[in-house]
Amino acid sequence: MDVLIIGGGGREHALAYTLKKSPKVDKLFCLPGNGGISEIAECVSIGVMEFDKIVDFLKNTPSVGLTVVGPDDPLAAGLVDVLTQNGFRAFGPSADAALIEASKAFSKDLMKKYGIPTAQYEVFTDYRQAMDYVRKQKFPLVVKADGLALGKGVIICNNIKEAENAVYDIMVTERFGKAGAKIVIEEFIVGQEVSILAFCDGKTIVPMVSSQDHKRVFDGDKGLNTGGMGAFSPSKIYDKAMADRVYKDIIIHTMKAMNAENRKFKGVIYFGLIVTEDGDIRVLEYNARFGDPETQVVLPLLETDLFDIMNAIIDEKLHEIDIKWSDKSAVCVMLTSGGYPLEYQRGYKINIGKLDDDIVLFHSGTRKSDNDYRTAGGRVIGVTAVSESLEESRKKVYRNISKISFEGMHFRKDIGIKND
Ligand code: GLY
């Protein structure tokens, strides 16, 4: 059977790489894909929000038996609903269920209503009330646009001035458009972050191996937030006792809460957790999809056929699958364009020397030009290694990065060191 993947980043490359391993998958299509993905899938130049064109493509390509939707925007806008209504099998949550990511206010209210531990917060639609509120708070403080904002809608404010600016930017200058018509203001929690992705069919929810990403652009967690500068798996602090506690207090509880709200979730739920110094664990955020770059370290550790898991979720038979994970460690270091996450140039030639056989490159922002790859985004390529230990994977990744270059290339040197 052929499979279509919607999206064109590192997550989709990792999905394509993993689905390609399935003996049940013949050909992969990816829409729109990228330079690296084009090596293993036929890339189709249709945008992820062009739903009519996607439906037409599927009508004209009957060999495709499964469509996997990667990014948040088409999920929130109901692509899975549209595909299902048109008789196609699609992996990912409905728009109703994807609201767990698409509205921060919804997810915070869900957690409050069902007793899922999270940070204290208030929701505002009125600018003046929001301003009055921030002036009475302690700092740091977190100001979040309610809707999807390309991963940039969460602002950590260290003082009143920064908080006032954040509220003004989001609500008055509409920096994130309609996504900022409503905002969430919440307490800042100090701790170690852990990402848990979980397969969910609405009846069964199965966490994947833990991971952690590095969001700041410079070493030592300095500089601006990015879409992710690298990740490693498993997390160093997420032990069995913690996993059991999180499963009971957070994971299973979230699935049941979504069912109780008539928003059955079928797909992957991402739990962004924070573990405080005294061992308290709270949910910082939910995503309704595979996380990026976490997917680039989690999927290489999956030993069960991802195609089978996705089909079992669509059919609500996840309980029939025994999902197995390697006990190795994976590290992914992101190579980015100079200047990212602010302004950066595109179109530079990427030079790739002879890499170790077990290094995997997941392309985030590249295009193929004749026989070369060119940079085409802020995050360019994730370099991933899997080996017996985190330290060995780190060494392997960095040794191989020295054989890759493009003008302005930037990467963090401390991926995987967190929590040492
Ligand atoms: N790594 C966080 C995200 O995928 O949004």
Side-chain angles (χ1 to χ4, degrees):
M1 177 190 289
D2 294 348
V3 175
L4 169 66
I5 297 169
I6 307 287
R11 166 186 44 225
E12 286 74 28
H13 197 172
L15 285 166
Y17 168 86
T18 310
L19 285 165
K20 189 88 190 160
K21 291 185 196 165
S22 170
K24 293 167 191 151
V25 174
D26 295 319
K27 179 172 177 178
L28 286 173
F29 293 90
C30 191
L31 168 172
N34 65 35
I37 296 174
S38 72
E39 302 288 353
I40 53 172
E42 182 176 326
C43 293
V44 184
S45 66
I46 296 176
V48 301
M49 299 304 282
E50 295 184 294
F51 290 7
D52 290 347
K53 288 189 184 169
I54 296 172
V55 169
D56 284 347
F57 171 81
L58 286 170
K59 282 183 181 159
N60 293 326
T61 320
S63 60
V64 172
L66 172 68
T67 299
V68 178
V69 183
D72 50 5
D73 281 322
L75 288 169
L79 179 55
V80 168
D81 309 70
V82 169
L83 296 182
T84 308
Q85 281 150 18
N86 279 276
F88 301 115
R89 279 171 78 77
F91 178 83
S94 63
D96 280 350
L99 198 68
I100 200 168
E101 173 173 11
S103 169
K104 305 264 185 299
F106 167 78
S107 70
K108 295 295 291 189
D109 290 347
L110 183 86
M111 288 187 264
K112 188 192 260 180
K113 182 167 170 186
Y114 292 93
I116 298 165
T118 189
Q120 297 294 326
Y121 72 101
E122 292 291 336
V123 177
F124 296 91
T125 49
D126 182 88
Y127 167 67
R128 301 233 154 266
Q129 284 177 7
M131 282 302 216
D132 287 347
Y133 179 79
V134 296
R135 287 175 186 135
K136 291 182 207 130
Q137 300 311 303
K138 291 201 207 105
F139 293 88
L141 188 69
V142 185
V143 178
K144 296 178 170 178
D146 176 56
L148 298 176
L150 300 171
K152 294 178 183 152
V154 176
I155 304 173
I156 295 163
C157 308
N158 292 304
N159 50 51
I160 292 195
K161 192 85 218 130
E162 287 179 14
E164 286 176 345
N165 287 344
V167 173
Y168 185 83
D169 275 358
I170 298 176
M171 298 190 93
V172 179
T173 61
E174 298 182 356
R175 178 165 155 203
F176 306 117
K178 277 193 266 163
K182 195 187 271 185
I183 61 170
V184 172
I185 302 180
E186 71 177 32
E187 69 173 317
F188 177 81
I189 300 182
V190 179
Q192 291 290 347
E193 290 184 29
V194 180
S195 305
I196 302 296
L197 284 64
F199 293 114
C200 182
D201 69 358
K203 295 178 177 164
T204 306
I205 184 160
V206 183
M208 304 184 206
V209 284
S210 62
S211 56
Q212 187 167 343
D213 75 351
H214 298 250
K215 293 198 175 79
R216 303 293 192 114
V217 68
F218 297 124
D219 288 6
D221 283 338
K222 301 272 181 355
L224 293 172
N225 259 331
T226 69
M229 295 297 294
F232 60 94
S233 175
S235 152
K236 299 183 205 174
I237 57 166
Y238 199 73
D239 58 16
K240 167 99 174 62
M242 203 181 277
D244 289 347
R245 184 147 62 97
V246 167
Y247 187 74
K248 187 165 91 19
D249 294 346
I250 294 174
I251 293 180
I252 192 88
H253 225 42
T254 300
M255 179 181 79
K256 288 184 178 166
M258 289 297 277
N259 286 339
E261 294 294 308
N262 228 350
R263 295 177 187 273
K264 184 189 275 186
F265 194 103
K266 292 170 68 172
V268 168
I269 308 185
Y270 169 119
F271 298 81
L273 306 177
I274 188 146
V275 183
T276 64
E277 220 163 52
D278 52 13
D280 221 21
I281 305 175
R282 303 205 215 167
V283 178
L284 284 183
E285 62 167 354
Y286 291 115
N287 292 327
R289 54 178 169 81
F290 282 96
D292 198 351
E294 288 93 331
T295 306
Q296 300 175 51
V297 287
V298 167
L299 285 186
L301 299 176
L302 177 64
E303 291 183 338
T304 306
D305 188 325
L306 181 61
F307 179 79
D308 286 343
I309 298 173
M310 289 178 160
N311 278 297
I313 288 174
I314 294 172
D315 297 332
E316 299 181 18
K317 290 183 174 164
L318 185 57
H319 64 279
E320 291 181 2
I321 306 247
D322 182 16
I323 300 177
K324 293 209 159 46
W325 299 93
S326 155
D327 56 11
K328 293 186 174 172
S329 295
V331 170
C332 169
V333 175
M334 195 62 65
L335 309 179
T336 65
S337 296
Y340 172 78
L342 300 174
E343 293 290 300
Y344 56 84
Q345 301 293 317
R346 292 175 166 82
Y348 293 123
K349 180 169 181 265
I350 304 168
N351 306 297
I352 304 177
K354 170 89 184 85
L355 306 180
D356 293 350
D357 289 343
D358 51 357
I359 285 287
V360 191
L361 301 183
F362 293 126
H363 291 223
S364 294
T366 69
R367 67 181 166 80
K368 195 100 192 266
S369 157
D370 300 322
N371 282 329
D372 293 331
Y373 295 118
R374 299 265 162 182
T375 64
R379 291 192 293 173
V380 177
I381 292 180
V383 184
T384 295
V386 175
S387 53
E388 299 305 322
S389 71
L390 191 68
E391 199 39 46
E392 209 181 305
S393 296
R394 265 178 50 72
K395 280 191 191 140
K396 205 182 273 190
V397 166
Y398 283 110
R399 205 171 48 236
N400 281 275
I401 285 178
S402 66
K403 301 175 201 163
I404 305 175
S405 64
F406 54 85
E407 180 144 354
M409 182 173 106
H410 167 70
F411 60 94
R412 276 181 61 164
K413 321 278 181 305
D414 61 350
I415 302 298
I417 289 181
K418 238 174 189 172
N419 305 330
D420 273 343

